[in-house]
Each structure stands twice: as structure tokens, then as C-alpha cells.
Amino acid sequence: MKRTLYYPIALSALTALNTACSLNTDLTIPDKPMPPSFQDQPEQPDGANVSTINWREYFSDSQLLNLIDTAVGNNLDLQIALQRIETARSSVKLANGNLLPKVALNIGGGVSRFGLYTMDGAGNATTEITPGQTVPVNLPDMFVGVQSSWEIDVWGKLEDQRKSATSTYLSSVEAANFVISNLVSDVAIYYNELLALDHELEIIRLTIQKEQEALEVIKLQKQAGRANELAVQQFNAQLLSTQISEKTVRQQITEIENKINYLLGRYPQPIERSKDVFFTETFHELSAGVPSQLLENRPDIRAAEFQIAASKFDLQAAKAAFYPTVNITATFGFQAFNPEFLFVSPASIAYSVFGQLIAPIINMKALEAQFNTAQANQLSAMYNYQKTILNAHVEVANQLANIKNLKDISILKKEQSDTLKQSVDVSKDLYKSARATYLEVLIAQQSALQSNLELINVIKQQRISGITLYKALGGGWR
């Protein structure tokens, strides 16, 4: 009889073991080695990298530093990321607790009545529970003690779950660091856009003032017969166009201020700033180092690496789920039918110890589905890691090329702006001597305004590219 009972149990356990042994947990994908240096950049043996500089030292504008400090303390996205860390930390504590026996206090009681024409009922009717007293028909049952259960981690499943939770926690920490890095760069970028708009607004207002003066001169020339109504209308139309540009820039300033306030976690209010710092060089020397440093400095790459580790442990735990589970349960306490006998006699001491070996039989397909899901998750984590590294490398390469090209563009734009400023004065002098038409004067003024605005835009892009490179290299979270 016993052999008949144990045979299917042993067979199911062996089947589960054989299935688990055939599952592959050693997954790999094609490796993509990183190049030794960034494109068009010589390899730097000293490994100098601007990302190691703290953002409080990288930026020198005190008003910008105050804004970033406020953002780091109040930004809502960052607060959400910090709460994800707390969630992951709790998961680690839970996984650690699963490795230990569970012990609980058990205080309970009840009443049982057995039918007289049953084995228990007939036995109780003739059995003395105390000298001279048979077992009551309505039998109370009271218990005070502790009960324990423990899943023995024979196959390492619980340990793998603990390691997975720890890796997920570390990934959440790096994810929060990445949020900080993005937050620092976003505030700095919007701040520089705001400074650029301030200078654009100043140039537009000066242009409006000059165009108003030019319009008055044309009106006087019309009265003297030296100009016609068409010239007055053309000059007035250009003035109206520039005034529209002023309104547009003022709206853009409001929107950028509100974007900064949103990052700072506060409602719209003016942003304190000094536009004079816009033309001053405030950044450190932009050394990129070597691509391999991205693996250590970029929080998103480190987070992706920890996700690979977490998925690996999840896969191992999914494999261990095929093996039999070994559980031990135990109780120890005092049990009696009457409270006065509960603690006064050693006879009321009660205990039990029970061991179980549970092997899956009919739910193998579900376990295989869980294992296949864990396999896919690990492969996805590996590909995501490669994708994150590739994205980081491309970001750095783009910004290095952008900085180089913007430097050349800036030199040309300054020459163009100076030339067009002179052309405005020349066109006015020629117009006064009737050697140029009013249309040539308008074109010269419009070209000069556009050139000045483009120069401001190039300088803004130069400053923003320095910030973006700093973030792309992994700076801003330390």
C-alpha cells in the first residue's frame, strides 16, 4: 500500500526535476564592443571627463544654482522616483523575511460536538477526561501558544528572489539619479533659453525704437515731397511686424518661465536672472574622456545593468519553481477544554511538527509559461542595456560634433552681424543722398535684425550644447 502511494509522488518529483534540468538559464546575445574613442575625437589616455564635476561647480551663475537647488528639493517627478526607491527597499525586506521561519502567536478557542453514533462520539461517551467526569458532549477546545512555518530554501529560489529584489532596488536608485541628471540639465537649458529670449527682446525693442524714428523721418520727407505714401506704408508695415515679434517673444518668455516653475514644483512666478552672464563663458573645459566611462558615469546605463541582474535572478527562481518545495510547520503551546487546566498541568502541553515535500504535477504548463516569460524579460533587459549604451554614445558624439560646428558658425555669424550693422548705416546715408531706395533701407534693417537674432540663437545653442554634453557624459547627479 505504501509503495503504491509513494510511487506517483516520487515519479512526479523526478518529472519536475528532469524538466527543470532541461531549462536553459544561461542566456546570451551578440556582443557589441564599444569603440575606443568618440567619432572624430582622439583617444584620451588620461581619461579626463567633465561629468565627474559636481553641478554646483560646473555652473557658476548663482541664480541658476539656486533654481537647481529648489528643483532638486521640490520636483514632483523626483519625489515619485524617490518613493519608487522606498517601494523597492520594502521589497528587499520582504524577500529577506521569506528566507526566515514565520512565527506567530496563536490564541484561540472553540466548541465541538461529535455525533453519538460515530467513533469519536462513542469513544468520548465512555472516556473520562478528568477523574469521575466523562468527555462533555459539547467539548470546548482552547489553545495558547506559537505556530511556525518555514520553507527551506533547498534550491535557492528564495535567495534568488532576494537577489532580484536587491538588484531592482539598486536599479531604482540609479533611475532616481538619472532623474536628477535630467532635472539639472533641463533647468539649466530652460534658464539659458530665457536669457537668450531676454536678449532677443532687447534687440527687438531697440529695433522698434529705430524703426519708429525712421518712420517719423519718412513722414517728414513725404511732407517735403522727397518720399511718397508707399514708402510711409512700407516703413509702418515693418514696424508693425517687429512689434508683433516683440509680443511673440514676451509670450515665449512667459512659457519658459512657467516650464522652469513646473520643474521647481511651484506655481507660475517671475524667474530671477541676470541676462549679462549670457555672453560670458561659464563652463569648464568640455573633455569627453573615453566611451567606456559611460558605463560607470551614466545612471541610466547602471540602472539597465542592474535590471539585467534582476532578470537573471528571476529566471533562476522561475527554474527553481519546478523543483519540489520543502515546508516545515510546527506548533507549541497549551491546550485544554477548561481554562483552569490550561497552564497548571504539564498534561496541557501540546505540540506538533509536520514536514511536507510538495512537487508540481498538473500545473507544469503554467510554470513553463512563467519560465518563458522570465527568459523573455532577461533577453529584453540585455537588449535594453545595449540600446541604452548605444543611445548614450550617440548623444555624446552628436554634442561633440555640434559644439565643434557651432564654434565655426558663431565666428561667421559675428562677422555677418557686424557687416549687416554697417550696411544699415550705409543704406541710410545713401538714402539721404538719393543714391538708395527706401526698399533697400528696409531690407538692410530687416537683415540686420534677423542676423542679430540668429547670433543670439547660435550663442544659446553653444551654451545648451555644453549642458547637454555634460548630461550625456553622465554629469549632473553627483
Side-chain angles (χ1 to χ4, degrees):
M1 179 66 183
K2 290 183 177 179
R3 293 182 61 184
T4 305
L5 178 63
Y6 292 155
Y7 180 75
I9 297 177
L11 180 61
S12 63
L14 289 174
T15 302
L17 288 170
N18 290 332
T19 303
C21 292
S22 64
L23 299 176
N24 180 26
T25 58
D26 188 16
L27 304 181
T28 59
I29 61 175
D31 190 23
K32 293 183 180 295
M34 297 183 69
S37 62
F38 294 105
Q39 187 177 9
D40 299 329
Q41 294 290 320
E43 186 174 353
Q44 301 178 17
D46 58 351
N49 192 313
V50 72
S51 68
T52 57
I53 302 174
N54 185 280
W55 58 265
R56 292 180 177 85
E57 300 175 2
Y58 185 75
F59 302 108
S60 59
D61 189 339
S62 59
Q63 291 175 317
L64 173 58
L65 293 176
N66 290 335
L67 292 174
I68 295 176
D69 267 325
T70 303
V72 172
N74 299 334
N75 181 261
L76 298 179
D77 289 329
L78 180 56
Q79 297 303 317
I80 293 173
L82 295 177
Q83 293 310 308
R84 291 197 184 102
I85 293 178
E86 293 303 317
T87 301
R89 182 183 285 116
S90 298
S91 298
V92 174
K93 293 180 180 179
L94 178 62
N96 287 332
N98 289 335
L99 288 167
L100 303 175
K102 298 176 177 63
V103 181
L105 176 65
N106 186 356
I107 301 176
V111 177
S112 299
R113 184 185 189 283
F114 298 98
L116 180 60
Y117 302 107
T118 63
M119 181 175 62
D120 291 324
N124 291 343
T126 59
T127 302
E128 291 185 348
I129 194 169
T130 58
Q133 180 183 359
T134 58
V135 177
V137 175
N138 296 312
L139 178 63
D141 185 16
M142 301 176 187
F143 179 83
V144 177
V146 293
Q147 62 182 26
S148 175
S149 63
W150 184 23
E151 179 181 345
I152 302 177
D153 194 22
V154 179
W155 317 109
K157 179 182 69 174
L158 299 180
E159 177 64 20
D160 287 332
Q161 291 174 346
R162 184 192 68 81
K163 291 179 179 178
S164 174
T166 302
S167 297
T168 301
Y169 164 72
L170 295 174
S171 178
S172 68
V173 173
E174 296 298 339
N177 289 336
F178 190 58
V179 172
I180 295 175
S181 178
N182 284 321
L183 180 61
V184 170
S185 65
D186 287 346
V187 172
I189 288 173
Y190 285 138
Y191 183 80
N192 279 277
E193 287 185 358
L194 202 55
L195 297 182
L197 289 172
D198 288 341
H199 283 279
E200 288 184 15
L201 185 61
E202 182 180 18
I203 291 173
I204 290 174
R205 285 174 174 172
L206 290 175
T207 302
I208 289 175
Q209 182 179 351
K210 292 179 180 180
E211 289 177 350
Q212 288 174 335
E213 294 173 354
L215 179 61
E216 294 301 323
V217 170
I218 291 297
K219 288 180 178 180
L220 292 175
Q221 289 181 343
K222 176 191 173 184
Q223 294 176 0
R226 295 182 55 193
N228 53 34
E229 180 62 23
L230 179 60
V232 174
Q233 291 177 356
Q234 290 289 342
F235 273 87
N236 188 42
Q238 186 180 37
L239 174 60
L240 293 174
S241 177
T242 309
Q243 289 174 335
I244 292 173
S245 299
E246 179 190 16
K247 302 297 183 182
T248 301
V249 171
R250 289 176 62 182
Q251 176 61 26
Q252 292 174 346
I253 289 175
T254 300
E255 292 179 0
I256 296 297
E257 283 186 325
N258 289 341
K259 287 181 180 179
I260 294 177
N261 283 313
Y262 176 79
L263 293 177
L264 270 58
R266 66 189 189 187
Y267 289 99
Q269 57 184 275
I271 300 297
E272 294 185 4
R273 59 193 182 274
S274 175
K275 68 177 187 296
D276 297 334
V277 301
F278 185 73
F279 292 102
T280 60
E281 182 61 42
T282 58
F283 299 143
H284 289 259
E285 183 180 355
L286 299 175
S287 56
V290 294
S292 59
Q293 291 176 317
L294 295 174
L295 304 179
E296 183 66 24
N297 295 330
R298 289 266 305 211
D300 56 335
I301 294 178
R302 292 168 58 85
E305 184 179 4
F306 284 123
Q307 282 300 322
I308 291 179
S311 64
K312 177 181 178 181
F313 293 125
D314 286 337
L315 182 60
Q316 292 175 354
K319 179 179 180 179
F322 287 88
Y323 299 132
T325 301
V326 180
N327 294 318
I328 295 178
T329 58
T331 60
F332 178 85
F334 300 90
Q335 189 174 18
F337 77 99
N338 192 318
E340 65 182 46
F341 300 124
L342 198 58
F343 301 109
V344 298
S345 173
S348 64
I349 294 176
Y351 62 85
S352 67
V353 178
F354 185 71
Q356 285 182 311
L357 188 147
I358 305 173
I361 300 178
I362 62 174
N363 63 338
M364 299 294 288
K365 291 297 182 181
L367 294 178
E368 290 177 5
Q370 292 177 357
F371 182 83
N372 292 337
T373 300
Q375 273 190 329
N377 288 338
Q378 184 177 358
L379 291 173
S380 296
M382 290 178 175
Y383 285 117
N384 181 64
Y385 180 66
Q386 287 191 351
K387 174 186 174 183
T388 306
I389 293 176
L390 179 60
N391 177 67
H393 187 93
V394 171
E395 285 182 359
V396 174
N398 285 343
Q399 292 309 315
L400 288 173
N402 193 30
I403 289 173
K404 179 181 177 181
N405 292 327
L406 285 173
K407 184 177 181 180
D408 297 335
I409 293 173
S410 176
I411 295 174
L412 296 175
K413 277 295 179 185
K414 288 178 181 179
E415 294 180 1
Q416 181 190 40
S417 179
D418 293 338
T419 301
L420 289 174
K421 285 180 181 179
Q422 296 176 3
S423 70
V424 172
D425 296 332
V426 171
S427 66
K428 289 181 179 179
D429 293 337
L430 292 175
Y431 181 77
K432 291 178 181 178
S433 60
R435 296 168 60 188
T437 65
Y438 67 87
L439 185 59
E440 291 173 320
V441 176
L442 290 174
I443 293 175
Q445 290 178 342
Q446 189 173 11
S447 299
L449 173 60
Q450 187 64 30
S451 177
N452 288 333
L453 295 179
E454 290 175 355
L455 177 60
I456 295 295
N457 185 58
V458 170
I459 296 174
K460 178 189 73 174
Q461 291 181 21
Q462 283 183 298
R463 295 177 66 88
I464 290 177
S465 63
I467 299 169
T468 307
L469 177 62
Y470 177 60
K471 183 194 78 170
L473 291 169
W477 59 271
R478 290 179 171 87

